[in-house]
Amino acid sequence: MTEPVLVVAGAVLDGHRMLLAQRDYPEAVAGLWELPGGKVESGESPDQALVRELCEELDVEVSVGAALRDVVSPTDSLTLVAMRAEIVSGTPRAVEHRALRWVDGTELAHLVRDGALVPNDLGWAHEMIAELQVR
Ligand code: CDP
């Protein structure tokens, strides 16, 4: 049996806000918001993959912190892990996404309510909303 593809996503935090990125493709999720990230490549640790992905996608350097509790497995062939991250250098810009935005817990809850988050990332929403509201 082949191993599932491992995707790492960044819960990029700044005070009481988190960074979301708006997907531009594929059609099914275009316009929806996600935690930026991507596939771990062979020979990389999840932390290294997240540093690389956020450099490619946001043009920033991050330091990676603890993983969120819930691992998301939408199919047998895909596993997603989210890790907290903080920007140590640069200002994020949408290199591969349609747009970026910083949200607080209330705004994140509204995006969830409105169906504006990519479905896979809903697995992290409650933990992030709770954390953002006490930061
Ligand atoms: O950049 P790369 O091609 O490695 O990754 P991607 O295409 O952005 O993401 C790989 C897979 O993970 C796709 O199926 C995305 O839809 C999924 N993904 C997700 O569900 N939630 C995220 N926050 C990031 C990626």
Side-chain angles (χ1 to χ4, degrees):
M1 226 178 78
T2 53
E3 288 287 309
V5 170
L6 179 60
V7 170
V8 285
V12 179
L13 297 165
D14 181 8
H16 64 287
R17 298 183 310 164
M18 184 177 74
L19 189 66
L20 290 179
Q22 189 177 35
R23 283 206 73 110
D24 199 32
Y25 67 92
E27 191 63 35
V29 288
L32 300 183
W33 296 88
E34 70 174 6
L35 278 58
K39 299 181 201 79
V40 178
E41 292 177 357
S42 84
E44 275 183 335
S45 67
D47 290 35
Q48 287 169 337
L50 187 60
V51 168
R52 176 186 50 74
E53 285 285 349
L54 298 188
C55 179
E56 290 171 2
E57 295 188 354
L58 308 176
D59 195 19
V60 293
E61 186 190 335
V62 297
S63 72
V64 177
L68 301 193
R69 187 183 51 240
D70 290 325
V71 174
V72 177
S73 299
T75 66
D76 287 347
S77 55
L78 186 63
T79 302
L80 297 106
V81 174
M83 288 183 286
R84 295 170 180 79
E86 286 195 9
I87 295 171
V88 293
S89 152
T91 302
R93 63 186 183 93
V95 179
E96 295 178 5
H97 289 87
R98 195 176 283 182
L100 304 178
R101 67 184 282 193
W102 291 96
V103 294
D104 63 21
T106 304
E107 290 164 328
L108 179 56
H110 288 163
L111 289 172
V112 170
R113 179 198 64 193
D114 297 341
L117 217 61
V118 300
N120 291 340
D121 294 25
L122 290 172
W124 301 310
H126 286 294
E127 189 176 354
M128 286 319 308
I129 291 165
E131 179 163 331
L132 291 171
Q133 279 167 347
V134 297
R135 278 171 77 96

